[in-house]
Amino acid sequence: MEKTVTILNEQGLHARPASIFVKTASKFKSNVSIVHGSAVANAKSIINIMSLGLKKGEEIKIVTEGTDESEAMDALTVLVENKFGEK
């Protein structure tokens, strides 16, 4: 399952939202990846996510594969769309 979303946070996907993303992705059994351009990152690894250097306005593709992929996709999409709780 794949979905493209846009990073809305003013500071991009910095440490705090990245850690929230990892924590949320890790709750699911499914494999979760973030694709940005030609880079693919394991969404359950903060180092992998931070290495993408995602900025506000950039699009990423969230990819989920596994038994609970749609629940994982829903949870992660809501996080990004709600700016990880930032204003």
Side-chain angles (χ1 to χ4, degrees):
M1 176 169 235
E2 298 180 1
K3 185 167 186 181
T4 301
V5 294
T6 302
I7 301 298
L8 302 172
N9 299 60
E10 287 300 321
Q11 302 298 317
L13 201 57
H14 58 89
R16 193 188 72 74
S19 75
I20 294 170
F21 198 95
V22 168
K23 206 174 287 184
T24 303
S26 296
K27 292 178 183 176
F28 299 96
K29 293 179 184 151
S30 295
N31 292 324
V32 183
S33 303
I34 294 176
V35 179
H36 178 66
S38 61
V40 179
N42 175 353
K44 296 182 181 182
S45 164
I46 192 153
I47 301 295
N48 279 206
I49 291 177
M50 294 296 294
S51 72
L52 295 174
L54 298 168
K55 296 176 177 42
K56 181 179 180 180
E58 291 187 313
E59 287 189 344
I60 60 169
K61 189 184 321 175
I62 301 172
V63 181
T64 57
E65 296 174 33
T67 55
D68 52 2
E69 65 184 24
S70 56
E71 293 91 344
M73 181 64 74
D74 291 345
L76 295 168
T77 301
V78 165
L79 265 182
V80 175
E81 290 174 347
N82 290 324
K83 299 182 183 181
F84 300 88
E86 292 183 355
K87 297 193 179 204

